[in-house]
Amino acid sequence: MKSFDISAFFLKQIASDDDMSPAIAAMKALMESLRLDDSTTLQEFIEKMKDAREALSKTDVSVVSVSSGCELFLRFITLSHKELEQAADFASCREILLRRGEDFIKSMQESRRKILRSSNNLIKDGMVILTHSRSRNVLAVMTEAARQGRQFTVFVTESQPDCSGHRVADDLRAVGIPCTVILDAAVGYIMERVSAVMVGAEGVCENGGILNKIGSCTLATLAHMKNKPVYVLVESYKFIRTIPLNNSSLPKIYLHRASVLNSGSDLIREHPLVDYTPPENLTLLYTDLGVLPTSAITEHLIKLYT
Amino acid sequence: MAPPEGSKRRKPRKRSKKRTSQSGACASPSPGRIPGEPLQGGGPVSVPSEVEVPKPVPLVAGHQQPNTPEKGSPQSLSPKKRTPQRSALSARLVKTGQPQPGVCATGPQQPETPKGGTSNVVLTKKSPLNGPVSKLGSAKADSPKPKSPNTKFSSPPKLGLPPEASENVITLEADAPLELPPQQQQTKVGSSKNQQSHRKPNSPQPTPAQDCILPPITTSQLLTLETLSSFIPVVGVEKANSLSDVKEQSTSLTKGTSDANFITLKSEGDKGIIMSETNKLDNLCNLLENIVIQHSGKEAMSNNTIKLPVAQTSQTITGPPPVKVPPSTTDSPPTTTSQHKGEKTKEEIECERKGRKEAKKAKKKGGEKAKSENDKENYKNINVENKKKESQEEKVMSMATNTQQIQPGDQQGQLQQHTKLSVALEGTDQSDAAGKSKADLKRERREKQEAQRQAKLAAKAKQEAEKQQKGQEEAHPSNNKIRLPQKKKKLEGEGLRRLKDRKSFSKGPSDRRIPLLGHLTPYSSQPPLLPVNCDTIHPAVRTLGLKMKDRIVDGSTARVVSTLAALKQFIHDYRTPESCDLSRDLAEKLLPNVAFLNGCRPQAIAMDNAIRFLKHKINSIEPNMPEAQAKDELRTAIDEYVQDNINLGSSTIASHAAMLIQDGDVILTFGSALVIEVVEAACNVGRRVSVVVADTPYPPSGAAMVKILSALGVTTYYRLITDVTHIMHKVTKVVVEAEAVMMNGAVQGMCGTASLALAAVTHDTPFIVLYADRVVFCPSRDYCGLLVDWRQMQKLNVVSLVYDVTPACLVTALVTEQSVLPTSAVPVIIRRNYADILGQD
């Protein structure tokens, strides 16, 4: 069979649908590679999947959610060993894997709707919400609240270095939500006026801390200092089985794009893409599994991975 | 309370003097007071023993040597008094009606012999039975006292009994003075046929005891035995009195009575054990009578030598030869038995009378509940001591019984003999004290004389104002009770210590609590005491327990492994008794072993979990599984447990933790083998780290670690934990090893862990806990520690705590062999993985 460029497919997926999470796109790419796979044994198939995952993690995007989503996907589709063992040959095995993969992706795509349901009463009239970076979950929740007629205002940080805050402001204004873009350095200035902080996450660590766009730690820490609640809207496929001891212990692959890492430049001079927010600064996580405190993440991770 | 008691005491003394007009009796009350006071004051054992000695001695002498007028009179008096008490017990029982039956029941149960005759008969029988039982207890209590040379035999009974006896006598006089005197006289004479007849039909048991007593010819041991028997009835009477009083008094009293009943039951159980032992012993005795006789002669000699000084000094010169003669006389049991029976019958009658009087008094008294309770407690203590002594001295007892040639038929008599023998043995043990006996004897003589004088005076006073005294008499019983406990306590001396030790086995010494750390389990320097021939504790477990106690086996991992190894051996040697389930029986027999280990040193939580695992395995064995297969399964399960949870654990943890360590880290740690592995693993991965070992002065476990690390080529700093703040800002990670992790995520570790965690949080340094035993989870515990060593002077409390608890919020990450976990994962893992084991309890 002709060789399949999973990275290209993955990037194409992201470009085609702006509303698609990189993790979902990665899963779809894995599904595509599975569909086109010509392996003859399960072992060979698993090896190829690992290679595909490696390739995806080296694409030029933020890979935190991609790696976690891929790991969970592979784990899920190969989890039912009983069914796989009963299969007569690998062809039937692949049928099973494909079916399970489709189911999994479908259920994962449902997760945003579940988050909307769990955060139904999160936004109330008169609230002043501060958000950071561009999270599709935060946008969806705010849009839903505006659709229900809730009156609230939003402050959005500029979110350097990619200035995604401006895109967020445009999207919010499009649905009629009053919105103000502030400097990243103005978080402390604006915090006392804010009633709640809402952010998304690229990854949720086992202890309940989150990995998110650089600046999230500042935001959460200041909010914590001012006793403002910090809500995290995140899908469960972004849970990661690691515990960063602190920001300096984050793996470099999370901090920088592959292009930067491959360039061989001095990483000290490069701006990191993500930071780690410890769970002490977070209030609640709104996930498709429900509203969870940070201490409950480990329980669900153990459930997912065992 | 004190003043009324004193008055009461005086009155009883007077009464006793009047009735008996016996120097011995008089002496007994006076010494009783004296010993009681020193006891209250907490005086040394020797003092009470001295005081006590005179009383018992006269009794013994009287029994042994009727020839000597002085001895004979006191002896006769003392037995009479005792017997009256017994009778009083029975009388009370009859009078009280409802309460009486309960008392009766307890009484007969103790002796075992009472098969449940009519109330009256039973009462009489019971009273003797109770007497012996009480004697056993008293004898046991006395046995610890033996330290006092002179008083060894007599002193213990005297302490407990004499005051009571005197009081009882007084009460008897008040109630029926006429009756008592004749009885006493008869007893003095040596044999009252009527009494004998009563006694014989009622209870054969007492007769054997009496036999022992009668052969005054017998050795000093016999004499001591006699004294004991005489004392025993008194004790029984006291108990009965206390019981009746309690019942009459009020609900609170009812509690006390229940306690008393328990006590009696215990004593009964003891008797039962003794009985079986005695039966075996009797068989042996019959087979080896000749040899036994020789041995007995030797023993008698030794005993005589010991006892002789006391008897001689205290009273007329009984002379060792007569004592020696008795063994031969004992060879002819029937004659002696008949005589003994006669004496006992007299005594019993007296006791019954006394008991009736006391019962009346008790009814009148009604108010002294607390005293009765105290008495009961004392009885309990005595019983416990008795049990201990019995177990330890069983062999010796058997020898003594052989020598005495106890009547084969009467188990009770044998029992009494046993008790007596035990006392005698104790006395022999106390032979060291015999050297002191001269001074003691002098004191005893003086005391006796004084007692006689007082008794005479008291008798006069009583005669003058018996009616007035009756009201006071009501209070007397309480006084008696009070005195008795004190005396018993003093007498017990060593016994109390043993009791404490026993308590420590189960509870740990509860007497001393360090003011601020009263919630901790105190450390006992004594290993838990066990019965001599106890086969419930497997030798391997016993050895391990002592090793752990001495810290030869230390460290939670080593303790778990060795514990499982010992229990494996225990399972290997286990044989399922017929008509028993292996799972049930094994689990049951496992308990005392575990309790022993726990008594040696409070279990590490890892041990607790391992034992839970083992219990779970045992309980899950199917009942129809063959024993060999079940044992194989258990042994393999233990091996797998050790392999999975302990052997594989450390290397996995090291590799996990090494992933958390970065190049150039400065690691602060305690001395820990696991941390060494982690550092080694990190070095193998190519990380360059330096280590700061914060050591504790006790135990300095960090020194060895520093040597190993420097051998590995790791830059190492060694300092005490006291100056850790100086270097804390340079430290990038703190790595410690946990002893246990609690359900709420709190970490129990070496003492100092919590302070390291606080320092780490203050400097925002990650605090990593290595957790070697993934099964080591336990229910939530707040800050606590295990007290391992302490000693104290008056107001100085020296405490060395081994563990402390670090709250979960200070722990950054928990490294287990599974993975790196947050502390919030602990309850999840416990629920998921150990629900079956944890659910057991």
Side-chain angles (χ1 to χ4, degrees):
Chain A
M1 242 184 161
K2 63 182 176 183
S3 63
F4 170 65
D5 188 356
I6 189 170
S7 301
F9 183 84
F10 169 63
L11 292 175
K12 196 174 134 196
Q13 284 278 331
I14 292 181
S16 65
D17 187 355
D18 189 45
D19 206 27
M20 181 180 287
S21 160
I24 298 292
M27 288 182 205
K28 287 195 170 181
L30 284 177
M31 274 297 295
E32 189 63 23
S33 72
L34 173 59
R35 205 170 284 129
L36 300 175
D37 186 62
D38 57 351
S39 309
T40 54
T41 67
L42 189 60
Q43 200 60 41
E44 185 184 356
F45 163 77
I46 292 175
E47 286 301 319
K48 284 193 175 181
M49 283 293 123
K50 282 186 181 172
D51 292 343
R53 205 179 73 186
E54 283 294 308
L56 286 180
S57 65
K58 282 174 183 163
T59 52
D60 212 17
V61 298
S62 179
V63 296
V64 178
S65 61
V66 169
S67 60
S68 71
C70 288
E71 186 175 352
L72 201 59
F73 174 77
L74 290 180
R75 195 165 192 102
F76 180 79
I77 64 171
T78 59
L79 195 59
S80 60
H81 289 296
K82 243 182 204 172
E83 209 176 343
L84 290 176
E85 287 166 3
Q86 288 171 352
D89 55 356
F90 183 67
S92 58
C93 262
R94 194 160 58 190
E95 286 304 313
I96 297 169
L97 293 176
L98 282 173
R99 199 179 65 238
R100 290 181 62 82
E102 293 288 354
D103 293 345
F104 185 73
I105 290 176
K106 207 175 287 178
S107 68
M108 287 301 106
Q109 284 174 326
E110 291 292 312
S111 57
R112 186 163 298 160
R113 210 177 306 152
K114 291 179 184 171
I115 293 173
L116 285 178
R117 211 181 302 148
S118 66
S119 61
N120 187 24
N121 284 324
L122 181 57
I123 297 177
K124 301 173 185 66
D125 282 335
M127 278 183 87
V128 177
I129 298 170
L130 176 62
T131 187
H132 178 70
S133 182
R134 183 169 188 273
S135 164
R136 295 171 188 84
N137 291 327
V138 172
L139 278 175
V141 169
M142 288 181 176
T143 306
E144 177 66 18
R147 197 183 62 75
Q148 292 177 359
R150 303 269 164 73
Q151 300 293 322
F152 59 96
T153 58
V154 177
F155 287 102
V156 186
T157 58
E158 193 177 14
S159 302
Q160 290 283 6
D162 59 359
C163 292
S164 58
H166 291 289
R167 289 171 61 198
V168 173
D170 293 342
D171 294 339
L172 290 177
R173 284 179 193 127
V175 295
I177 300 172
C179 177
T180 308
V181 177
I182 62 170
L183 288 174
D184 287 343
V187 170
Y189 164 80
I190 212 75
M191 186 59 74
E192 64 189 28
R193 285 193 246 168
V194 166
S195 53
V197 175
M198 292 173 65
V199 293
E202 292 192 33
V204 180
C205 303
E206 191 159 5
N207 59 357
I210 59 169
L211 300 174
N212 197 22
K213 176 76 173 289
I214 188 82
S216 298
C217 184
T218 316
L219 196 72
T221 305
L222 284 170
H224 185 66
M225 292 294 292
K226 298 283 183 183
N227 286 325
K228 308 293 182 185
V230 180
Y231 302 118
V232 180
L233 309 172
V234 65
E235 302 94 338
S236 63
Y237 58 75
K238 289 178 178 173
F239 291 1
I240 318 170
R241 293 210 79 187
T242 59
I243 297 182
L245 297 175
N246 46 31
N247 271 295
S248 61
S249 65
L250 288 176
K252 290 182 179 62
I253 195 174
Y254 287 172
L255 294 174
H256 304 283
R257 290 179 188 273
S259 57
V260 175
L261 289 175
N262 293 334
S263 68
S265 59
D266 189 1
L267 291 180
I268 300 274
R269 299 190 178 185
E270 295 292 334
H271 300 296
L273 292 177
V274 299
D275 62 13
Y276 163 70
T277 306
E280 298 86 49
N281 295 336
L282 304 178
T283 308
L284 284 175
L285 295 104
Y286 287 79
T287 74
D288 51 327
L289 302 172
V291 185
L292 306 175
T294 54
S295 59
I297 301 301
T298 181
E299 179 175 2
H300 287 284
L301 265 175
I302 291 172
K303 275 184 194 167
L304 286 174
Y305 282 94
T306 54
Chain B
M1 292 298 291
E5 291 177 357
S7 64
K8 292 175 182 179
R9 291 177 184 176
R10 292 174 185 176
K11 294 175 181 179
R13 293 175 186 173
K14 293 176 181 179
R15 293 172 184 175
S16 64
K17 290 178 181 178
K18 291 178 181 179
R19 291 179 182 177
T20 58
S21 72
Q22 297 169 352
S23 62
C26 295
S28 66
S30 64
R33 295 175 184 177
I34 297 169
E37 293 174 356
L39 289 172
Q40 293 174 353
V45 176
S46 62
V47 173
S49 65
E50 292 177 357
V51 176
E52 296 170 358
V53 173
K55 296 176 181 180
V57 173
L59 293 171
V60 173
H63 291 292
Q64 292 175 349
Q65 299 173 352
N67 296 337
T68 61
E70 294 177 355
K71 291 180 180 177
S73 64
Q75 291 173 354
S76 63
L77 291 172
S78 64
K80 290 176 182 178
K81 292 177 181 178
R82 294 170 185 171
T83 54
Q85 290 177 350
R86 294 179 183 175
S87 63
L89 289 173
S90 62
R92 284 185 178 180
L93 294 173
V94 175
K95 293 176 180 178
T96 55
Q98 295 176 349
Q100 291 172 353
V103 176
C104 295
T106 59
Q109 290 175 356
Q110 294 176 352
E112 296 179 356
T113 54
K115 295 175 181 178
T118 62
S119 62
N120 294 336
V121 176
V122 173
L123 291 172
T124 56
K125 290 179 181 178
K126 292 174 182 177
S127 64
L129 294 174
N130 293 338
V133 176
S134 62
K135 287 179 179 178
L136 292 173
S138 64
K140 294 175 181 178
D142 296 345
S143 62
K145 298 175 181 178
K147 292 178 180 177
S148 64
N150 295 336
T151 58
K152 292 177 182 178
F153 303 97
S154 61
S155 65
K158 288 178 179 179
L159 292 175
L161 299 172
E164 295 175 354
S166 65
E167 294 175 356
N168 292 332
V169 173
I170 295 165
T171 59
L172 291 170
E173 290 176 358
D175 293 342
L178 297 174
E179 293 177 356
L180 292 173
Q183 290 178 352
Q184 293 175 352
Q185 291 174 355
Q186 290 176 354
T187 55
K188 291 177 181 177
V189 172
S191 66
S192 64
K193 294 178 181 178
N194 295 336
Q195 294 176 350
Q196 289 177 354
S197 64
H198 290 291
R199 293 174 184 174
K200 290 178 180 178
N202 292 338
S203 64
Q205 297 175 353
T207 58
Q210 291 175 352
D211 295 343
C212 297
I213 299 169
L214 290 174
I217 311 160
T218 59
T219 62
S220 62
Q221 291 180 351
L222 294 175
L223 293 174
T224 58
L225 293 172
E226 293 175 358
T227 58
L228 290 172
S229 65
S230 64
F231 289 115
I232 293 164
V234 177
V235 175
V237 173
E238 293 177 355
K239 289 180 179 177
N241 292 338
S242 63
L243 291 172
S244 62
D245 294 344
V246 173
K247 291 177 180 177
E248 294 173 356
Q249 289 171 351
S250 67
T251 56
S252 64
L253 293 176
T254 58
K255 293 179 181 178
T257 55
S258 63
D259 294 343
N261 291 333
F262 281 112
I263 298 167
T264 55
L265 291 174
K266 291 179 181 178
S267 64
E268 291 177 1
D270 295 344
K271 288 181 177 179
I273 298 170
I274 299 168
M275 290 294 291
S276 61
E277 294 173 356
T278 55
N279 291 334
K280 295 177 182 177
L281 295 172
D282 294 338
N283 294 334
L284 296 173
C285 295
N286 293 333
L287 294 173
L288 304 174
E289 278 186 358
N290 297 331
I291 300 171
V292 171
I293 293 167
Q294 294 175 354
H295 289 292
S296 66
K298 292 178 181 178
E299 291 179 354
M301 289 297 291
S302 63
N303 293 334
N304 293 336
T305 56
I306 298 167
K307 295 176 180 179
L308 288 174
V310 177
Q312 292 174 354
T313 56
S314 61
Q315 299 174 351
T316 62
I317 301 168
T318 57
V323 175
K324 292 178 181 178
V325 177
S328 62
T329 59
T330 55
D331 295 349
S332 62
T335 58
T336 58
T337 56
S338 65
Q339 294 175 356
H340 293 297
K341 289 178 180 178
E343 291 180 356
K344 288 182 177 179
T345 56
K346 294 176 181 178
E347 294 178 356
E348 290 176 357
I349 295 169
E350 293 178 356
C351 290
E352 291 178 355
R353 293 176 182 174
K354 290 181 180 178
R356 292 173 185 173
K357 294 179 181 178
E358 289 180 355
K360 294 179 180 177
K361 292 179 180 178
K363 291 178 180 178
K364 296 177 181 177
K365 293 173 183 177
E368 297 171 354
K369 300 175 181 179
K371 293 179 179 179
S372 63
E373 292 177 354
N374 292 333
D375 292 344
K376 292 176 182 177
E377 292 177 356
N378 293 329
Y379 284 116
K380 290 179 180 179
N381 294 334
I382 294 171
N383 289 334
V384 176
E385 293 179 356
N386 290 337
K387 292 179 180 179
K388 294 179 180 178
K389 293 178 179 178
E390 289 177 358
S391 61
Q392 294 175 351
E393 298 173 354
E394 288 176 358
K395 294 179 180 178
V396 183
M397 296 280 290
S398 64
M399 291 298 294
T401 55
N402 294 335
T403 58
Q404 292 177 351
Q405 294 177 353
I406 301 162
Q407 310 81 0
D410 296 341
Q411 294 178 349
Q412 292 179 350
Q414 292 177 354
L415 291 175
Q416 293 177 352
Q417 290 176 352
H418 275 293
T419 57
K420 295 176 180 179
L421 291 171
S422 65
V423 176
L425 293 172
E426 293 173 356
T428 56
D429 295 342
Q430 298 169 348
S431 61
D432 299 342
K436 303 174 183 177
S437 63
K438 292 181 179 178
D440 294 342
L441 292 172
K442 291 179 180 178
R443 293 179 184 177
E444 292 177 357
R445 291 176 183 174
R446 293 175 184 174
E447 292 175 355
K448 289 178 180 178
Q449 293 176 355
E450 291 178 357
Q452 291 176 354
R453 294 171 186 172
Q454 292 178 354
K456 292 178 181 178
L457 295 173
K460 293 178 181 178
K462 290 178 181 177
Q463 291 175 354
E464 292 175 354
E466 286 181 353
K467 294 178 181 178
Q468 295 177 351
Q469 289 177 352
K470 287 180 181 178
Q472 295 175 348
E473 287 174 357
E474 294 177 354
H476 286 296
S478 63
N479 291 336
N480 293 335
K481 293 176 182 177
I482 296 171
R483 292 178 184 177
L484 290 172
Q486 294 173 351
K487 292 177 179 178
K488 290 178 180 177
K489 288 179 181 177
K490 293 179 180 179
L491 290 171
E492 290 170 0
E494 293 181 357
L496 284 175
R497 291 176 191 170
R498 292 184 186 178
L499 280 177
K500 290 177 182 176
D501 290 342
R502 272 200 175 180
K503 290 177 181 177
S504 70
F505 176 67
S506 59
K507 300 176 182 178
S510 57
D511 357 331
R512 292 308 295 260
R513 292 277 179 181
I514 295 176
L516 296 177
L517 299 169
H519 60 291
L520 298 178
T521 306
Y523 170 77
S524 162
S525 60
Q526 297 293 329
L529 285 185
L530 291 173
V532 166
N533 286 328
C534 174
D535 59 347
T536 58
I537 309 297
H538 191 275
V541 175
R542 195 178 294 211
T543 309
L544 173 63
L546 295 177
K547 281 182 179 174
M548 288 199 296
K549 174 136 207 80
D550 297 337
R551 302 225 158 200
I552 297 169
V553 175
D554 202 0
S556 63
T557 305
R559 289 169 71 192
V560 173
V561 173
S562 51
T563 300
L564 285 175
L567 292 179
K568 197 170 144 190
Q569 186 65 35
F570 163 74
I571 291 170
H572 177 75
D573 296 340
Y574 171 78
R575 293 286 179 276
T576 310
E578 292 184 8
S579 75
C580 272
D581 260 5
L582 177 135
S583 60
R584 288 189 182 182
D585 188 64
L586 184 56
E588 200 170 305
K589 287 186 175 166
L590 187 64
L591 290 180
N593 291 280
V594 174
F596 177 80
L597 289 179
N598 198 27
C600 287
R601 187 182 163 189
Q603 282 179 4
I605 293 174
M607 286 170 62
D608 195 38
N609 283 328
I611 289 167
R612 278 185 187 181
F613 156 82
L614 184 57
K615 281 183 186 172
H616 178 67
K617 284 289 176 191
I618 291 173
N619 287 339
S620 57
I621 289 176
E622 294 182 2
N624 54 4
M625 184 181 287
E627 178 181 321
Q629 186 186 347
K631 286 163 72 174
D632 271 347
E633 276 193 9
L634 287 176
R635 273 174 286 176
T636 53
I638 291 175
D639 288 340
E640 287 174 1
Y641 183 89
V642 173
Q643 181 69 17
D644 292 350
N645 290 313
I646 295 167
N647 291 353
L648 291 181
S650 60
S651 60
T652 323
I653 289 173
S655 61
H656 281 312
M659 300 310 293
L660 298 176
I661 293 173
Q662 296 172 305
D663 214 16
D665 265 346
V666 179
I667 299 172
L668 175 64
T669 183
F670 269 142
S672 157
L674 202 51
V675 175
I676 295 174
E677 278 195 57
V678 171
V679 173
E680 195 174 354
C683 291
N684 290 340
V685 183
R687 311 264 156 75
R688 288 166 298 152
V689 299
S690 52
V691 179
V692 180
V693 177
D695 204 359
T696 51
Y698 171 83
S701 58
M705 184 180 179
V706 170
K707 288 177 186 169
I708 296 174
L709 287 178
S710 58
L712 286 174
V714 177
T715 310
T716 309
Y717 306 89
Y718 179 83
R719 47 176 57 215
L720 290 180
I721 193 175
T722 46
D723 57 358
V724 75
T725 49
H726 287 280
I727 202 173
M728 199 66 218
H729 63 283
K730 298 270 181 64
V731 171
T732 59
K733 284 185 178 62
V734 181
V735 182
V736 298
E737 185 178 354
E739 190 82 7
V741 178
M742 309 301 174
M743 186 72 132
N744 58 1
V747 170
Q748 175 181 332
M750 289 297 295
C751 215
T753 303
S755 48
L756 278 190
L758 282 172
V761 163
T762 309
H763 292 81
D764 193 25
T765 306
F767 187 77
I768 301 168
V769 173
L770 309 177
Y771 188 46
D773 253 327
R774 71 174 179 195
V775 194
V776 182
F777 296 110
C778 77
S780 309
R781 240 197 249 180
D782 282 329
Y783 302 78
C784 68
L786 299 177
L787 194 53
V788 165
D789 194 12
W790 67 288
R791 59 194 164 81
Q792 67 176 23
M793 295 166 65
Q794 276 297 333
K795 297 219 169 185
L796 171 63
N797 295 306
V798 180
V799 180
S800 164
L801 296 174
V802 174
Y803 302 121
D804 63 9
V805 174
T806 307
C809 59
L810 301 183
V811 179
T812 308
L814 197 62
V815 183
T816 71
E817 54 267 84
Q818 285 177 323
S819 63
V820 182
L821 296 170
T823 54
S824 55
V826 174
V828 180
I829 290 180
I830 292 175
R831 259 184 276 130
R832 284 174 63 86
N833 298 0
Y834 307 108
D836 50 344
I837 298 178
L838 292 174
Q840 272 190 342
D841 301 335

